[in-house]
């Protein structure tokens, strides 16, 4: 009788172990929290440092979300390609706004920089702005450089220096 009882217990335990292991293997991990979330966000942010046509403004997610919303300034398509390759299914790229994380520095015309970053032009995109030594605002563009220079000189005469995405 003891042998039969032990056999049934062993069989039941084996079935439970198999069921639990199968359930664990099919469940997707929940949203990251704490240090793991901070590490992921920092890794995503570092990915956006250095590309010539785009950079990351902010990285974040609503509590409980697995997908990180990445605000990008510049070429959204290039950013999506790189981030999807590096973090498959973990990022959602949206247009960022340069004014969301500005720190005041002497010489910057922040109202103009914010206005320029908000331009939605089909022929060129602005990916960075900055202060030139002569007091004008430097404007880095992707796309039609001539169209950007023509447009910005017509709308902001003498206030901008336009350059492409070359270093």
């Amino acid at each position: 009788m003891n042998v039969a009882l032990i056999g049934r217990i062993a069989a039941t335990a084996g079935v439970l172990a198999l069921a639990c292991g199968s359930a664990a293997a099919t469940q997707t991990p929940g949203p990251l929290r704490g240090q793991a979330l901070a590490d992921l966000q920092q890794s995503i942010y570092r990915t956006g440092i250095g590309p010539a046509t785009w950079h990351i403004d902010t990285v974040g997610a609503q509590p409980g979300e697995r997908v990180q919303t990445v605000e990008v300034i510049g070429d959204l398509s290039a950013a999506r390609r790189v981030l999807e390759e590096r973090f498959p299914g973990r990022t959602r790229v949206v247009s960022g706004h340069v004014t969301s994380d500005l720190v005041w520095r002497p010489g910057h015309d922040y109202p103009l920089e914010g206005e320029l970053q908000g331009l939605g032009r089909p022929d060129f995109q602005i990916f960075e702005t900055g202060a030139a030594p002569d007091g004008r605002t430097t404007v880095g563009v992707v796309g039609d450089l001539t169209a950007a220079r023509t447009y910005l000189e017509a709308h902001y005469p003498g206030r901008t220096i336009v350059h492409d995405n070359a270093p």
Side-chain angles (χ1 to χ4, degrees):
M1 174 133 170
N2 285 340
V3 174
L5 182 60
I6 292 173
R8 280 193 182 148
I9 291 173
T12 303
V15 169
L16 285 174
L18 181 61
C20 290
S22 175
T26 59
Q27 290 179 353
T28 57
L32 297 176
R33 290 186 172 75
Q35 190 60 48
L37 177 59
D39 291 344
L40 173 65
Q41 289 177 342
Q42 189 63 23
S43 185
I44 291 169
Y45 187 80
R46 278 193 305 266
T47 300
I49 296 174
T53 61
W54 60 276
H55 67 271
I56 292 176
D57 183 27
T58 62
V59 178
Q62 295 297 321
E65 276 190 15
R66 291 182 36 78
V67 176
Q68 303 299 305
T69 299
V70 182
E71 290 187 359
V72 170
I73 295 172
D75 188 344
L76 298 181
S77 296
R80 280 186 186 103
R81 258 190 324 275
V82 169
L83 292 171
E84 184 57 30
E85 178 182 300
R86 185 110 190 263
F87 307 98
R90 300 302 304 253
T91 60
R92 174 180 40 250
V93 174
V94 298
S95 182
H97 305 284
V98 74
T99 56
S100 67
D101 66 345
L102 291 177
V103 175
W104 187 84
R105 281 171 269 177
H108 283 259
D109 184 348
Y110 287 125
L112 175 60
E113 288 185 49
E115 190 174 327
L116 293 172
Q117 289 287 345
L119 286 178
R121 301 284 307 175
D123 45 354
F124 65 88
Q125 288 183 312
I126 294 174
F127 72 91
E128 72 176 357
T129 58
D134 65 1
R136 293 185 288 171
T137 298
T138 61
V139 183
V141 298
V142 177
D144 188 339
L145 189 60
T146 303
R149 285 187 173 131
T150 302
Y151 179 89
L152 294 175
E153 187 56 36
H155 289 85
Y156 309 97
R159 295 178 67 191
T160 61
I161 298 172
V162 179
H163 63 87
D164 63 7
N165 62 340

